[in-house]
Amino acid sequence: MLQDLRHEVDGEPGWVLCLVPGRPPVAVAEPVWQAIVETGWRAPGGRDPLAAVGFPRAPASTNTPWVLPADTRRVDLDGGAWGPGLLACSGRGKWRWQPLPRFSLNQGRSADIGTAGQTPTLRLRALVNLPWAEVSTLEISKSRRTQLEQMLPHSALAGAVTLLSRRRGAELPAAVWERGPFGNSGRSAGYTCSIAGPDGGAAVKASVMLALPTTMESTVVACADVLIESAEAWSAALGPGWDTQLGLDEVQAVLLAAWETAAELLPEAVGDPAALSWAASPTTELRITCEEPADNGVRPALDTLVDLTPLGPNDGGSRSQLAVAITAAPAMDRAERQRLLREALVHMAHAFGYVDAEVDLL
């Protein structure tokens, strides 16, 4: 229940009394309440903003009536479709909502974007769903595309791919990025870097994609992949004596770099992400997948290509895919991203039968 509270002092803000079952009552100054409501209006439909963002949540130690005064700069929200979140006011007076980090196994409609016709031996993917509210005017300008093309050879993703071979005694840099094979236009961008084996065929690939909303999809999607196209071709390119099975530490490094690239570098192709507001919770999907079937049509188990022993024994049997979704603001410092990555991998491992997995073992 909501109740406007009248007051007699001119120039002083009004108040809204917010009563939610199971929570202590809270009196919210009108300017703060207006920021909450305006944030929720950006949700698709916008008919019930509080159903999107939820209501103010009291501090954990509070079980008595409390107050959010006009000079409040942070409001914890919960109970809406967006899930637990934080609404914070910048020094310039701009309010911005972001989700509180959490994990799930949910995959969105774009989980398999850009995979049609591909059957790599191993795919490591980070896909970021960016449900911005202001998308109708977004475009990938020529100048920002040029900037992206200049940055890709120096990106975290390029560095991670280069390091995979360097750790095996070979200098095979991810230095040359070409447009395609995905569509490039004012509303999409796609680039690939291919490291060839001795016969000229692809051994390892890195690819990125940014897709603005279409009539079928309302969310901006940014994706970064690393593909072991052929373990045999990569082994031949490395030279004799090197094992192409990836360590779990290498998988973590690649996923971290892919996530950073998809979450921070690619969105800059449409402008300043910090200036855009959310219309729902942004999410990141991480996947480790064997996609090339054996002669019998069955995909091989992941542990034939990735050393999963740090996760401990698996009570769920062999799997060809592991995946996890992270709800969190895309931009963060590297230490925070690494912490969330490890926690997400443990959440994933437990869900897929590696019940002894621990963050400290990764």
Side-chain angles (χ1 to χ4, degrees), residues 201-236:
V204 179
K205 282 185 180 179
S207 64
V208 298
M209 178 195 309
L210 180 69
L212 272 61
T214 65
T215 55
M216 299 297 293
E217 178 57 62
S218 60
T219 298
V220 176
V221 176
C223 180
D225 282 346
V226 171
L227 312 176
I228 308 299
E229 288 282 5
S230 168
E232 292 78 14
W234 188 31
S235 178

PDB file of all heavy atoms in Angstrom, residues 201-236:
ATOM      1  N   GLY A 201      44.037 -24.793 -42.964  1.00  0.00           N
ATOM      2  CA  GLY A 201      42.724 -24.842 -42.333  1.00  0.00           C
ATOM      3  C   GLY A 201      42.747 -24.209 -40.958  1.00  0.00           C
ATOM      4  O   GLY A 201      43.795 -24.107 -40.315  1.00  0.00           O
ATOM      5  N   ALA A 202      41.596 -23.777 -40.491  1.00  0.00           N
ATOM      6  CA  ALA A 202      41.510 -23.105 -39.200  1.00  0.00           C
ATOM      7  C   ALA A 202      41.810 -24.073 -38.064  1.00  0.00           C
ATOM      8  O   ALA A 202      41.280 -25.178 -38.020  1.00  0.00           O
ATOM      9  CB  ALA A 202      40.131 -22.502 -39.017  1.00  0.00           C
ATOM     10  N   ALA A 203      42.668 -23.651 -37.164  1.00  0.00           N
ATOM     11  CA  ALA A 203      42.966 -24.427 -35.967  1.00  0.00           C
ATOM     12  C   ALA A 203      42.270 -23.833 -34.753  1.00  0.00           C
ATOM     13  O   ALA A 203      41.598 -24.529 -33.994  1.00  0.00           O
ATOM     14  CB  ALA A 203      44.476 -24.474 -35.741  1.00  0.00           C
ATOM     15  N   VAL A 204      42.448 -22.530 -34.573  1.00  0.00           N
ATOM     16  CA  VAL A 204      41.825 -21.792 -33.463  1.00  0.00           C
ATOM     17  C   VAL A 204      41.215 -20.523 -34.031  1.00  0.00           C
ATOM     18  O   VAL A 204      41.802 -19.880 -34.908  1.00  0.00           O
ATOM     19  CB  VAL A 204      42.861 -21.440 -32.376  1.00  0.00           C
ATOM     20  CG1 VAL A 204      42.206 -20.649 -31.244  1.00  0.00           C
ATOM     21  CG2 VAL A 204      43.527 -22.695 -31.828  1.00  0.00           C
ATOM     22  N   LYS A 205      40.043 -20.166 -33.538  1.00  0.00           N
ATOM     23  CA  LYS A 205      39.391 -18.929 -33.956  1.00  0.00           C
ATOM     24  C   LYS A 205      38.937 -18.141 -32.738  1.00  0.00           C
ATOM     25  O   LYS A 205      38.582 -18.712 -31.707  1.00  0.00           O
ATOM     26  CB  LYS A 205      38.169 -19.211 -34.839  1.00  0.00           C
ATOM     27  CG  LYS A 205      38.462 -19.563 -36.273  1.00  0.00           C
ATOM     28  CD  LYS A 205      37.152 -19.686 -37.044  1.00  0.00           C
ATOM     29  CE  LYS A 205      37.410 -20.036 -38.505  1.00  0.00           C
ATOM     30  NZ  LYS A 205      36.132 -20.180 -39.254  1.00  0.00           N
ATOM     31  N   ALA A 206      38.932 -16.845 -32.894  1.00  0.00           N
ATOM     32  CA  ALA A 206      38.271 -15.959 -31.937  1.00  0.00           C
ATOM     33  C   ALA A 206      37.285 -15.120 -32.733  1.00  0.00           C
ATOM     34  O   ALA A 206      37.592 -14.687 -33.855  1.00  0.00           O
ATOM     35  CB  ALA A 206      39.286 -15.065 -31.235  1.00  0.00           C
ATOM     36  N   SER A 207      36.116 -14.911 -32.192  1.00  0.00           N
ATOM     37  CA  SER A 207      35.125 -14.120 -32.914  1.00  0.00           C
ATOM     38  C   SER A 207      34.327 -13.267 -31.936  1.00  0.00           C
ATOM     39  O   SER A 207      34.167 -13.626 -30.762  1.00  0.00           O
ATOM     40  CB  SER A 207      34.173 -15.012 -33.718  1.00  0.00           C
ATOM     41  OG  SER A 207      33.403 -15.832 -32.859  1.00  0.00           O
ATOM     42  N   VAL A 208      33.871 -12.128 -32.431  1.00  0.00           N
ATOM     43  CA  VAL A 208      33.021 -11.244 -31.639  1.00  0.00           C
ATOM     44  C   VAL A 208      31.827 -10.832 -32.476  1.00  0.00           C
ATOM     45  O   VAL A 208      31.897 -10.803 -33.713  1.00  0.00           O
ATOM     46  CB  VAL A 208      33.785  -9.992 -31.156  1.00  0.00           C
ATOM     47  CG1 VAL A 208      34.941 -10.383 -30.241  1.00  0.00           C
ATOM     48  CG2 VAL A 208      34.274  -9.150 -32.328  1.00  0.00           C
ATOM     49  N   MET A 209      30.759 -10.506 -31.789  1.00  0.00           N
ATOM     50  CA  MET A 209      29.539 -10.097 -32.479  1.00  0.00           C
ATOM     51  C   MET A 209      28.779  -9.116 -31.604  1.00  0.00           C
ATOM     52  O   MET A 209      28.703  -9.288 -30.382  1.00  0.00           O
ATOM     53  CB  MET A 209      28.659 -11.316 -32.761  1.00  0.00           C
ATOM     54  CG  MET A 209      27.337 -10.972 -33.440  1.00  0.00           C
ATOM     55  SD  MET A 209      26.172 -12.366 -33.364  1.00  0.00           S
ATOM     56  CE  MET A 209      27.198 -13.673 -33.987  1.00  0.00           C
ATOM     57  N   LEU A 210      28.228  -8.088 -32.221  1.00  0.00           N
ATOM     58  CA  LEU A 210      27.331  -7.154 -31.549  1.00  0.00           C
ATOM     59  C   LEU A 210      26.095  -6.996 -32.413  1.00  0.00           C
ATOM     60  O   LEU A 210      26.204  -6.686 -33.598  1.00  0.00           O
ATOM     61  CB  LEU A 210      28.010  -5.794 -31.347  1.00  0.00           C
ATOM     62  CG  LEU A 210      27.162  -4.725 -30.657  1.00  0.00           C
ATOM     63  CD1 LEU A 210      26.942  -5.085 -29.188  1.00  0.00           C
ATOM     64  CD2 LEU A 210      27.826  -3.353 -30.765  1.00  0.00           C
ATOM     65  N   ALA A 211      24.926  -7.249 -31.832  1.00  0.00           N
ATOM     66  CA  ALA A 211      23.677  -7.170 -32.586  1.00  0.00           C
ATOM     67  C   ALA A 211      22.696  -6.271 -31.859  1.00  0.00           C
ATOM     68  O   ALA A 211      22.374  -6.498 -30.689  1.00  0.00           O
ATOM     69  CB  ALA A 211      23.079  -8.566 -32.765  1.00  0.00           C
ATOM     70  N   LEU A 212      22.246  -5.219 -32.553  1.00  0.00           N
ATOM     71  CA  LEU A 212      21.232  -4.344 -31.990  1.00  0.00           C
ATOM     72  C   LEU A 212      19.855  -4.974 -32.147  1.00  0.00           C
ATOM     73  O   LEU A 212      19.681  -5.908 -32.939  1.00  0.00           O
ATOM     74  CB  LEU A 212      21.287  -2.976 -32.666  1.00  0.00           C
ATOM     75  CG  LEU A 212      22.248  -1.956 -32.032  1.00  0.00           C
ATOM     76  CD1 LEU A 212      23.684  -2.438 -32.062  1.00  0.00           C
ATOM     77  CD2 LEU A 212      22.135  -0.599 -32.717  1.00  0.00           C
ATOM     78  N   PRO A 213      18.863  -4.503 -31.402  1.00  0.00           N
ATOM     79  CA  PRO A 213      17.544  -5.147 -31.413  1.00  0.00           C
ATOM     80  C   PRO A 213      16.914  -5.208 -32.795  1.00  0.00           C
ATOM     81  O   PRO A 213      17.136  -4.355 -33.649  1.00  0.00           O
ATOM     82  CB  PRO A 213      16.717  -4.260 -30.475  1.00  0.00           C
ATOM     83  CG  PRO A 213      17.718  -3.657 -29.555  1.00  0.00           C
ATOM     84  CD  PRO A 213      18.932  -3.422 -30.404  1.00  0.00           C
ATOM     85  N   THR A 214      16.117  -6.248 -32.983  1.00  0.00           N
ATOM     86  CA  THR A 214      15.341  -6.443 -34.207  1.00  0.00           C
ATOM     87  C   THR A 214      13.874  -6.557 -33.823  1.00  0.00           C
ATOM     88  O   THR A 214      13.501  -6.433 -32.659  1.00  0.00           O
ATOM     89  CB  THR A 214      15.785  -7.730 -34.918  1.00  0.00           C
ATOM     90  OG1 THR A 214      15.467  -8.862 -34.069  1.00  0.00           O
ATOM     91  CG2 THR A 214      17.279  -7.728 -35.189  1.00  0.00           C
ATOM     92  N   THR A 215      13.038  -6.799 -34.801  1.00  0.00           N
ATOM     93  CA  THR A 215      11.614  -6.980 -34.516  1.00  0.00           C
ATOM     94  C   THR A 215      11.367  -8.236 -33.694  1.00  0.00           C
ATOM     95  O   THR A 215      10.342  -8.355 -33.025  1.00  0.00           O
ATOM     96  CB  THR A 215      10.817  -7.081 -35.829  1.00  0.00           C
ATOM     97  OG1 THR A 215      11.381  -8.133 -36.636  1.00  0.00           O
ATOM     98  CG2 THR A 215      10.874  -5.772 -36.592  1.00  0.00           C
ATOM     99  N   MET A 216      12.320  -9.166 -33.713  1.00  0.00           N
ATOM    100  CA  MET A 216      12.165 -10.417 -32.976  1.00  0.00           C
ATOM    101  C   MET A 216      12.876 -10.394 -31.623  1.00  0.00           C
ATOM    102  O   MET A 216      12.600 -11.222 -30.770  1.00  0.00           O
ATOM    103  CB  MET A 216      12.719 -11.582 -33.807  1.00  0.00           C
ATOM    104  CG  MET A 216      12.005 -11.780 -35.129  1.00  0.00           C
ATOM    105  SD  MET A 216      10.263 -12.217 -34.909  1.00  0.00           S
ATOM    106  CE  MET A 216      10.447 -13.844 -34.153  1.00  0.00           C
ATOM    107  N   GLU A 217      13.802  -9.464 -31.431  1.00  0.00           N
ATOM    108  CA  GLU A 217      14.596  -9.446 -30.205  1.00  0.00           C
ATOM    109  C   GLU A 217      14.765  -8.007 -29.739  1.00  0.00           C
ATOM    110  O   GLU A 217      15.223  -7.151 -30.507  1.00  0.00           O
ATOM    111  CB  GLU A 217      15.969 -10.086 -30.462  1.00  0.00           C
ATOM    112  CG  GLU A 217      16.906 -10.072 -29.275  1.00  0.00           C
ATOM    113  CD  GLU A 217      16.314 -10.755 -28.063  1.00  0.00           C
ATOM    114  OE1 GLU A 217      16.034 -11.969 -28.151  1.00  0.00           O
ATOM    115  OE2 GLU A 217      16.125 -10.082 -27.036  1.00  0.00           O
ATOM    116  N   SER A 218      14.395  -7.709 -28.504  1.00  0.00           N
ATOM    117  CA  SER A 218      14.405  -6.337 -27.992  1.00  0.00           C
ATOM    118  C   SER A 218      15.686  -5.982 -27.253  1.00  0.00           C
ATOM    119  O   SER A 218      15.830  -4.859 -26.777  1.00  0.00           O
ATOM    120  CB  SER A 218      13.218  -6.125 -27.047  1.00  0.00           C
ATOM    121  OG  SER A 218      13.290  -7.022 -25.945  1.00  0.00           O
ATOM    122  N   THR A 219      16.611  -6.909 -27.153  1.00  0.00           N
ATOM    123  CA  THR A 219      17.813  -6.726 -26.355  1.00  0.00           C
ATOM    124  C   THR A 219      19.052  -6.624 -27.235  1.00  0.00           C
ATOM    125  O   THR A 219      19.177  -7.358 -28.213  1.00  0.00           O
ATOM    126  CB  THR A 219      17.978  -7.903 -25.373  1.00  0.00           C
ATOM    127  OG1 THR A 219      16.866  -7.929 -24.479  1.00  0.00           O
ATOM    128  CG2 THR A 219      19.251  -7.783 -24.566  1.00  0.00           C
ATOM    129  N   VAL A 220      19.957  -5.729 -26.887  1.00  0.00           N
ATOM    130  CA  VAL A 220      21.262  -5.685 -27.535  1.00  0.00           C
ATOM    131  C   VAL A 220      22.067  -6.892 -27.046  1.00  0.00           C
ATOM    132  O   VAL A 220      22.087  -7.186 -25.846  1.00  0.00           O
ATOM    133  CB  VAL A 220      22.003  -4.382 -27.203  1.00  0.00           C
ATOM    134  CG1 VAL A 220      23.404  -4.388 -27.813  1.00  0.00           C
ATOM    135  CG2 VAL A 220      21.207  -3.170 -27.693  1.00  0.00           C
ATOM    136  N   VAL A 221      22.706  -7.591 -27.968  1.00  0.00           N
ATOM    137  CA  VAL A 221      23.471  -8.785 -27.630  1.00  0.00           C
ATOM    138  C   VAL A 221      24.925  -8.584 -28.049  1.00  0.00           C
ATOM    139  O   VAL A 221      25.204  -8.200 -29.180  1.00  0.00           O
ATOM    140  CB  VAL A 221      22.897 -10.040 -28.329  1.00  0.00           C
ATOM    141  CG1 VAL A 221      23.768 -11.253 -28.045  1.00  0.00           C
ATOM    142  CG2 VAL A 221      21.471 -10.291 -27.870  1.00  0.00           C
ATOM    143  N   ALA A 222      25.829  -8.829 -27.100  1.00  0.00           N
ATOM    144  CA  ALA A 222      27.268  -8.778 -27.379  1.00  0.00           C
ATOM    145  C   ALA A 222      27.859 -10.135 -27.037  1.00  0.00           C
ATOM    146  O   ALA A 222      27.587 -10.679 -25.967  1.00  0.00           O
ATOM    147  CB  ALA A 222      27.942  -7.683 -26.564  1.00  0.00           C
ATOM    148  N   CYS A 223      28.653 -10.684 -27.937  1.00  0.00           N
ATOM    149  CA  CYS A 223      29.131 -12.053 -27.772  1.00  0.00           C
ATOM    150  C   CYS A 223      30.593 -12.159 -28.158  1.00  0.00           C
ATOM    151  O   CYS A 223      31.037 -11.532 -29.126  1.00  0.00           O
ATOM    152  CB  CYS A 223      28.293 -12.990 -28.646  1.00  0.00           C
ATOM    153  SG  CYS A 223      28.760 -14.719 -28.544  1.00  0.00           S
ATOM    154  N   ALA A 224      31.337 -12.938 -27.396  1.00  0.00           N
ATOM    155  CA  ALA A 224      32.733 -13.232 -27.716  1.00  0.00           C
ATOM    156  C   ALA A 224      32.965 -14.724 -27.575  1.00  0.00           C
ATOM    157  O   ALA A 224      32.618 -15.316 -26.547  1.00  0.00           O
ATOM    158  CB  ALA A 224      33.674 -12.456 -26.800  1.00  0.00           C
ATOM    159  N   ASP A 225      33.527 -15.344 -28.606  1.00  0.00           N
ATOM    160  CA  ASP A 225      33.783 -16.780 -28.641  1.00  0.00           C
ATOM    161  C   ASP A 225      35.257 -17.062 -28.866  1.00  0.00           C
ATOM    162  O   ASP A 225      35.940 -16.330 -29.589  1.00  0.00           O
ATOM    163  CB  ASP A 225      33.027 -17.452 -29.799  1.00  0.00           C
ATOM    164  CG  ASP A 225      31.553 -17.656 -29.508  1.00  0.00           C
ATOM    165  OD1 ASP A 225      31.145 -17.534 -28.345  1.00  0.00           O
ATOM    166  OD2 ASP A 225      30.811 -17.944 -30.470  1.00  0.00           O
ATOM    167  N   VAL A 226      35.725 -18.151 -28.278  1.00  0.00           N
ATOM    168  CA  VAL A 226      37.001 -18.753 -28.663  1.00  0.00           C
ATOM    169  C   VAL A 226      36.704 -20.186 -29.073  1.00  0.00           C
ATOM    170  O   VAL A 226      36.088 -20.935 -28.312  1.00  0.00           O
ATOM    171  CB  VAL A 226      38.030 -18.713 -27.518  1.00  0.00           C
ATOM    172  CG1 VAL A 226      39.265 -19.537 -27.883  1.00  0.00           C
ATOM    173  CG2 VAL A 226      38.431 -17.276 -27.224  1.00  0.00           C
ATOM    174  N   LEU A 227      37.112 -20.553 -30.283  1.00  0.00           N
ATOM    175  CA  LEU A 227      36.814 -21.864 -30.832  1.00  0.00           C
ATOM    176  C   LEU A 227      38.103 -22.632 -31.084  1.00  0.00           C
ATOM    177  O   LEU A 227      39.001 -22.130 -31.772  1.00  0.00           O
ATOM    178  CB  LEU A 227      36.040 -21.742 -32.152  1.00  0.00           C
ATOM    179  CG  LEU A 227      34.842 -20.790 -32.195  1.00  0.00           C
ATOM    180  CD1 LEU A 227      34.275 -20.744 -33.603  1.00  0.00           C
ATOM    181  CD2 LEU A 227      33.775 -21.231 -31.209  1.00  0.00           C
ATOM    182  N   ILE A 228      38.201 -23.820 -30.523  1.00  0.00           N
ATOM    183  CA  ILE A 228      39.224 -24.766 -30.974  1.00  0.00           C
ATOM    184  C   ILE A 228      38.577 -25.513 -32.129  1.00  0.00           C
ATOM    185  O   ILE A 228      37.781 -26.428 -31.931  1.00  0.00           O
ATOM    186  CB  ILE A 228      39.655 -25.728 -29.851  1.00  0.00           C
ATOM    187  CG1 ILE A 228      40.052 -24.949 -28.594  1.00  0.00           C
ATOM    188  CG2 ILE A 228      40.792 -26.621 -30.331  1.00  0.00           C
ATOM    189  CD1 ILE A 228      41.208 -24.012 -28.761  1.00  0.00           C
ATOM    190  N   GLU A 229      38.873 -25.061 -33.342  1.00  0.00           N
ATOM    191  CA  GLU A 229      38.217 -25.656 -34.504  1.00  0.00           C
ATOM    192  C   GLU A 229      38.682 -27.090 -34.718  1.00  0.00           C
ATOM    193  O   GLU A 229      37.891 -27.970 -35.037  1.00  0.00           O
ATOM    194  CB  GLU A 229      38.508 -24.817 -35.748  1.00  0.00           C
ATOM    195  CG  GLU A 229      37.794 -23.481 -35.782  1.00  0.00           C
ATOM    196  CD  GLU A 229      36.333 -23.629 -36.172  1.00  0.00           C
ATOM    197  OE1 GLU A 229      35.850 -24.770 -36.329  1.00  0.00           O
ATOM    198  OE2 GLU A 229      35.662 -22.593 -36.320  1.00  0.00           O
ATOM    199  N   SER A 230      39.969 -27.314 -34.553  1.00  0.00           N
ATOM    200  CA  SER A 230      40.542 -28.643 -34.754  1.00  0.00           C
ATOM    201  C   SER A 230      41.727 -28.806 -33.827  1.00  0.00           C
ATOM    202  O   SER A 230      42.743 -28.108 -33.974  1.00  0.00           O
ATOM    203  CB  SER A 230      40.972 -28.833 -36.212  1.00  0.00           C
ATOM    204  OG  SER A 230      41.772 -29.997 -36.344  1.00  0.00           O
ATOM    205  N   ALA A 231      41.598 -29.714 -32.864  1.00  0.00           N
ATOM    206  CA  ALA A 231      42.716 -29.971 -31.955  1.00  0.00           C
ATOM    207  C   ALA A 231      43.919 -30.508 -32.719  1.00  0.00           C
ATOM    208  O   ALA A 231      45.072 -30.205 -32.385  1.00  0.00           O
ATOM    209  CB  ALA A 231      42.284 -30.952 -30.870  1.00  0.00           C
ATOM    210  N   GLU A 232      43.670 -31.300 -33.774  1.00  0.00           N
ATOM    211  CA  GLU A 232      44.761 -31.862 -34.565  1.00  0.00           C
ATOM    212  C   GLU A 232      45.518 -30.765 -35.321  1.00  0.00           C
ATOM    213  O   GLU A 232      46.751 -30.745 -35.359  1.00  0.00           O
ATOM    214  CB  GLU A 232      44.219 -32.893 -35.549  1.00  0.00           C
ATOM    215  CG  GLU A 232      43.666 -34.158 -34.907  1.00  0.00           C
ATOM    216  CD  GLU A 232      42.280 -33.961 -34.310  1.00  0.00           C
ATOM    217  OE1 GLU A 232      41.632 -32.920 -34.612  1.00  0.00           O
ATOM    218  OE2 GLU A 232      41.834 -34.833 -33.527  1.00  0.00           O
ATOM    219  N   ALA A 233      44.772 -29.833 -35.929  1.00  0.00           N
ATOM    220  CA  ALA A 233      45.425 -28.740 -36.664  1.00  0.00           C
ATOM    221  C   ALA A 233      46.177 -27.826 -35.712  1.00  0.00           C
ATOM    222  O   ALA A 233      47.276 -27.351 -36.038  1.00  0.00           O
ATOM    223  CB  ALA A 233      44.374 -27.949 -37.444  1.00  0.00           C
ATOM    224  N   TRP A 234      45.605 -27.586 -34.535  1.00  0.00           N
ATOM    225  CA  TRP A 234      46.304 -26.744 -33.559  1.00  0.00           C
ATOM    226  C   TRP A 234      47.586 -27.421 -33.075  1.00  0.00           C
ATOM    227  O   TRP A 234      48.634 -26.794 -32.967  1.00  0.00           O
ATOM    228  CB  TRP A 234      45.364 -26.427 -32.396  1.00  0.00           C
ATOM    229  CG  TRP A 234      45.904 -25.415 -31.426  1.00  0.00           C
ATOM    230  CD1 TRP A 234      46.760 -24.375 -31.708  1.00  0.00           C
ATOM    231  CD2 TRP A 234      45.630 -25.340 -30.025  1.00  0.00           C
ATOM    232  NE1 TRP A 234      47.035 -23.657 -30.571  1.00  0.00           N
ATOM    233  CE2 TRP A 234      46.350 -24.216 -29.516  1.00  0.00           C
ATOM    234  CE3 TRP A 234      44.847 -26.088 -29.159  1.00  0.00           C
ATOM    235  CZ2 TRP A 234      46.302 -23.844 -28.169  1.00  0.00           C
ATOM    236  CZ3 TRP A 234      44.792 -25.713 -27.822  1.00  0.00           C
ATOM    237  CH2 TRP A 234      45.515 -24.610 -27.334  1.00  0.00           C
ATOM    238  N   SER A 235      47.504 -28.712 -32.826  1.00  0.00           N
ATOM    239  CA  SER A 235      48.680 -29.464 -32.392  1.00  0.00           C
ATOM    240  C   SER A 235      49.780 -29.397 -33.442  1.00  0.00           C
ATOM    241  O   SER A 235      50.962 -29.222 -33.124  1.00  0.00           O
ATOM    242  CB  SER A 235      48.302 -30.918 -32.113  1.00  0.00           C
ATOM    243  OG  SER A 235      49.418 -31.682 -31.745  1.00  0.00           O
ATOM    244  N   ALA A 236      49.389 -29.515 -34.708  1.00  0.00           N
ATOM    245  CA  ALA A 236      50.382 -29.449 -35.789  1.00  0.00           C
ATOM    246  C   ALA A 236      51.010 -28.063 -35.877  1.00  0.00           C
ATOM    247  O   ALA A 236      52.205 -27.923 -36.153  1.00  0.00           O
ATOM    248  CB  ALA A 236      49.720 -29.820 -37.111  1.00  0.00           C
TER     249      ALA A 236
END
